Amino acid sequence: MRGTEPPSHHRAWTWQSGRDPHGLALAERPVAPPRPGEVLVRNAVIGLNPVDWKVLGSDTWRPGKVPGCDGAGIVIAAGADVPGAWLGQRVAYHTWLGGRGSFAETTPVAARALLPVPAALDLEVAASVPCPGLTAWLALGKLPAQPGILLVAGAGGGVGTYLVPLAIRAGWKVTAQCHPRHHDRLVAQGAAVLPWNAELPRAAYGAAIDLRGPEAAAGLFPHLRANGHLVCIQGRVGGWGGEAFARCISLHEVALGALHVHGDARDWHALRRAAAGIFDDLVTARLAPEPALARDFECLPAHLQALKDRDFSGKALIRV
C-alpha cells in the first residue's frame, strides 16, 4: 500500500436487518488497507440514489455491510498494481452494490471505476453524477444509430436529468412523460412533454426508455412502431408484448452495476470516457445537474428515507 497513512478507524452506516433506512446503524470500524487493484477514497460527498433503499436487505447481505454506490472525494492510499499518480486525486466513483459501499468516511474502490473530477467541478456535483448520469449514457447506447422519436417515461428524476438533453443532442425528438412540476425544465431543454398519466398515441415512437418499473414498461409496447426499441431501467418486463415476428420489438435492459461483475477493460474505458464527457458538459454548462439537497453525515438514514418517500424533488447528497 502507498499513500498517506489512512486513519485506523472510520465511521460507517451499516445494515443490520430489514428494509427500513432508519434501521441503518452508525458504527466505528477499522479501516482495511486497499486490496490489489483498489484505492482508498476519503469521501467528501456521498450521492444517494433510489437503488440504495431498494436493495436494503438483499438476500446475500450480512449484518455489518456498508451500503451505498456513489461518492466523491480524495484518493488517500493505493493498493498493489495501482499507479501512484492516483494518490491525492479528486475522484468520483460508482461501486458494486454487493461490495463495500459508500455510506462511510472512507471507501475502497476498484481503480478501474475511478472517475477523475476536473478542478473546476465541485465534488458535490461530481458525486451526483455516476449512477444517474452513466445509466442515462448506457440507455442511449441501446438505441439504434439512426435517431427518431423517443419517449422517455418517468423523465423527471435523476436519470432523466441527463438522458433527455443527451438524447436531444444525439438527434432524437424527445417526448418526456412525467409529473407537471418538471415540465418547464424539460421544455427548456427542447423536449415535448406529457403528464405522467397522459393517453399515449399508438405505434408513435421509434423507441421508449422507461424509468418507472416493469409493469409500466410493459404498457409501452402498443405505443412503439414496428422494429421499435424498449429500454428498461427500473426492472425488466416479463415478455416481448406480442407474438414472435410480428412488430419485432427489441427489448433492452440497463444495469450499471453489471459492469462490476461482467465488464472488461474496454467497457470500463468507455464508461470513464463517458463520465469525463458529462463532467466537461457540467463545467461548461452544456448540462445542468439536479438541484442538490445536501445533509450532514449523521442525517443519512433520514435523508435516504425522505428520498424513498419522495418528500422532495432534487438530488439527495450527504456531506461527510
Side-chain angles (χ1 to χ4, degrees):
M1 183 185 71
R2 290 154 295 147
T4 61
E5 188 66 28
S8 60
H9 289 74
H10 70 164
R11 295 182 302 161
W13 285 101
T14 61
W15 177 83
Q16 302 302 318
S17 64
R19 305 186 67 85
D20 184 357
H22 287 296
L24 295 174
L26 187 59
E28 185 170 302
R29 305 179 62 173
V31 174
R35 300 166 181 167
E38 288 183 343
V39 304
L40 188 66
V41 176
R42 178 184 289 120
N43 290 319
V45 188
I46 298 164
L48 302 185
N49 298 284
V51 70
D52 291 324
W53 60 260
K54 290 179 180 180
V55 301
L56 286 177
S58 295
D59 292 343
T60 59
W61 284 22
R62 296 292 180 268
K65 174 181 165 50
V66 178
C69 61
D70 279 1
I74 307 295
V75 176
I76 60 172
D81 303 324
V82 176
W86 280 113
L87 294 171
Q89 294 296 309
R90 303 166 77 244
V91 296
Y93 61 85
H94 179 278
T95 62
W96 179 45
L97 290 165
R100 296 170 290 175
S102 63
F103 289 5
E105 292 176 324
T106 66
T107 299
V109 180
R112 67 180 185 177
L114 294 173
L115 311 173
V117 177
L121 189 66
D122 190 278
L123 286 176
E124 284 197 4
V125 177
S128 74
V129 169
C131 188
L134 294 176
T135 295
W137 177 79
L138 286 173
L140 286 174
K142 300 285 186 175
L143 301 182
Q146 183 63 40
I149 301 177
L150 171 67
L151 174 68
V152 181
V159 176
T161 295
Y162 299 96
L163 178 55
V164 170
L166 289 174
I168 291 172
R169 186 188 304 175
W172 289 90
K173 296 180 179 179
V174 176
T175 295
Q177 188 181 27
C178 59
H179 193 281
R181 68 174 174 267
H182 303 294
H183 285 187
D184 288 346
R185 170 172 58 86
L186 293 168
V187 168
Q189 292 174 343
V193 296
L194 292 171
W196 65 271
N197 58 351
E199 186 70 26
L200 298 174
R202 295 184 67 86
Y205 305 102
I209 299 177
D210 182 77
L211 308 175
R212 303 164 300 171
E215 291 185 5
L220 296 177
F221 279 116
H223 309 292
L224 291 167
R225 295 170 55 86
N227 294 305
H229 297 258
L230 175 59
V231 183
C232 301
I233 290 177
Q234 293 290 351
R236 70 193 309 184
V237 301
W240 260 256
E243 60 181 306
F245 305 106
R247 287 193 300 131
C248 301
I249 302 300
S250 297
L251 181 61
H252 309 268
E253 60 186 11
V254 172
L256 182 58
L259 291 186
H260 291 284
V261 180
H262 303 289
D264 59 18
R266 183 173 61 178
D267 295 324
W268 282 100
H269 176 71
L271 201 71
R272 290 193 301 271
R273 286 189 61 186
I278 292 172
F279 287 160
D280 183 60
D281 284 345
L282 290 166
V283 169
T284 57
R286 291 192 296 266
L287 285 175
E290 281 189 283
L293 286 91
R295 299 289 184 268
D296 293 335
F297 188 67
E298 292 75 13
C299 301
L300 190 152
H303 208 24
L304 185 59
Q305 182 67 52
L307 176 64
K308 179 179 180 180
D309 294 339
R310 298 186 179 182
D311 285 348
F312 58 85
S313 179
K315 180 64 183 181
L317 299 172
I318 296 295
R319 297 190 183 106
V320 182

